[in-house]
């Protein structure tokens, strides 16, 4: 399969991830990929091309796209645009699953589109301003968005073909969720394979086939994402950051960090100080 898995780490202190689409400058193409979360692309200006399976959507101002968990998709952004991306972990919808870890949202326009876009814009505006109590306001808006998703866009009668297709990646999604919840511990291929009743060789092949990455690299990518957040926070020393995020020590963190980001953790911290004017 010519697509890869995308790791999604929620914002610190929030049950979701919110950001401006990285292809906002145009001349950008995001290859086919999938993830465990529900993803919303809300176009505030400009346009995007969305490809999901054999279907194509052309999004313009005030359009949005709901991408389902485990749904393989790509995004083409040839022209400048401003697109807000909201990523919501699948587990937040568990009370509304229509099958085993399964929920499906419609891609078609609904009768509440205008209100939905207003809420997404408001959520991002509050996030940018960060006024007093913004975290409470953001959670309030977020749960209004969640309400509209399950009320107006959730498909309660889903064709069996959708369910069968979802299962192709559902096994691996359950494993990646377990890894994300236990990344600080000593995660080995053998131990995770035992927990999910697979052989290590089968689990290794599953990662290469569906995620396009080795088991070890996947675990390390999660640890690095959380380590980066700790470095941004500035509360911990580099050694503390390493140990908090499953690395054996600062040297192991440094090797992995430099390989992924092209610099040492110490250089990253120093550059951040310079950017912040300290």
């Amino acid at each position: 399969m010519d697509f890869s898995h995308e790791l999604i780490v929620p914002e610190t202190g929030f049950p979701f991830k919110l950001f401006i689409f990285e292809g906002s400058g145009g001349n950008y193409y995001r290859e086919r990929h999938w993830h465990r979360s529900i993803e919303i692309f809300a176009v505030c200006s400009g346009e995007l091309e969305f490809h999901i399976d054999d279907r194509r959507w052309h999004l313009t101002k005030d359009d949005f796209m709901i991408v389902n968990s485990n749904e393989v998709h790509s995004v083409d952004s040839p022209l400048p645009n401003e697109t807000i991306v909201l990523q919501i972990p699948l587990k937040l919808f568990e009370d509304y699953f229509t099958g085993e870890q399964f929920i499906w949202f419609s891609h078609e326009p609904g009768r509440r589109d205008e209100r939905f876009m207003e809420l997404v814009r408001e959520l991002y505006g509050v996030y940018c301003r960060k006024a007093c109590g913004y975290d409470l306001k953001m959670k309030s808006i977020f749960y209004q968005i969640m309400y509209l998703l399950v009320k107006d866009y959730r498909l309660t009668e889903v064709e069996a073909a959708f369910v069968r297709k979802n299962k192709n990646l559902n096994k691996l999604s359950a494993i990646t969720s377990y890894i994300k919840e236990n990344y600080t511990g000593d995660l080995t291929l053998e131990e995770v394979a035992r927990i999910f009743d697979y052989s290590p060789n089968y689990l290794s092949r599953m990662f290469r086939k569906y995620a396009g990455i080795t088991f070890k690299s996947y675990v390390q990518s999660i640890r690095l994402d959380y380590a980066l957040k700790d470095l941004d926070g500035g509360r911990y020393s580099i050694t503390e950051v390493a140990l908090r995020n499953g690395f054996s020590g600062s040297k192991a963190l440094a090797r992995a960090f430099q390989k992924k980001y092209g610099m040492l953790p110490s250089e990253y911290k120093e550059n951040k100080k310079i950017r912040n004017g300290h």
Side-chain angles (χ1 to χ4, degrees), residues 1-5 31-34 72 169 208-212:
M1 294 186 179
D2 58 340
F3 48 82
S4 61
H5 179 263
E31 299 285 351
R32 280 157 46 92
H33 63 287
W34 61 276
V72 179
L169 295 172
R208 288 183 179 276
K209 181 176 182 180
Y210 292 112

Side-chain angles (χ1 to χ4, degrees), residues 37-53:
S37 299
I38 306 301
E39 185 171 50
I40 297 162
F41 280 74
V43 181
C44 299
S45 66
E47 56 190 68
L48 289 178
E49 292 281 344
F50 245 91
H51 298 265
I52 300 178
D53 295 329

Side-chain angles (χ1 to χ4, degrees), residues 261-278:
Y261 299 111
M263 66 180 75
L264 295 171
S266 56
E267 293 172 322
Y268 179 83
K269 289 185 72 173
E270 186 60 31
N271 289 344
K272 185 174 178 61
K273 286 182 181 179
I274 295 172
R275 290 194 304 270
N276 291 338
H278 297 304

Side-chain angles (χ1 to χ4, degrees), residues 123-216:
L123 182 69
Y124 189 72
V126 172
Y127 174 72
C128 290
R129 290 189 293 273
K130 290 184 171 57
C132 178
Y134 85 99
D135 54 333
L136 297 175
K137 181 67 173 176
M138 284 185 67
K139 289 174 183 177
S140 171
I141 300 168
F142 171 69
Y143 284 109
Q144 291 181 66
I145 293 172
M146 289 277 289
Y147 169 71
L148 290 185
L149 281 171
V150 299
K151 180 177 179 292
D152 292 336
Y153 297 98
R154 181 172 61 108
L155 300 179
T156 54
E157 295 184 5
V158 182
E159 294 179 14
F162 280 120
V163 180
R164 287 196 301 270
K165 184 176 181 180
N166 183 71
K167 287 183 178 179
N168 288 335
L169 295 172
N170 212 35
K171 291 180 180 179
L172 186 58
S173 291
I175 296 169
T176 57
S177 292
Y178 175 83
I179 292 172
K180 283 176 65 177
E181 292 169 0
N182 297 276
Y183 70 95
T184 60
D186 183 20
L187 283 175
T188 64
L189 176 67
E190 291 73 20
E191 177 64 13
V192 175
R194 183 190 64 77
I195 290 170
F196 286 90
D197 199 25
Y198 297 129
S199 72
N201 284 339
Y202 179 83
L203 182 58
S204 178
R205 290 196 303 272
M206 185 188 296
F207 263 89
R208 288 183 179 276
K209 181 176 182 180
Y210 292 112
I213 191 173
T214 66
F215 173 87
K216 182 178 180 180

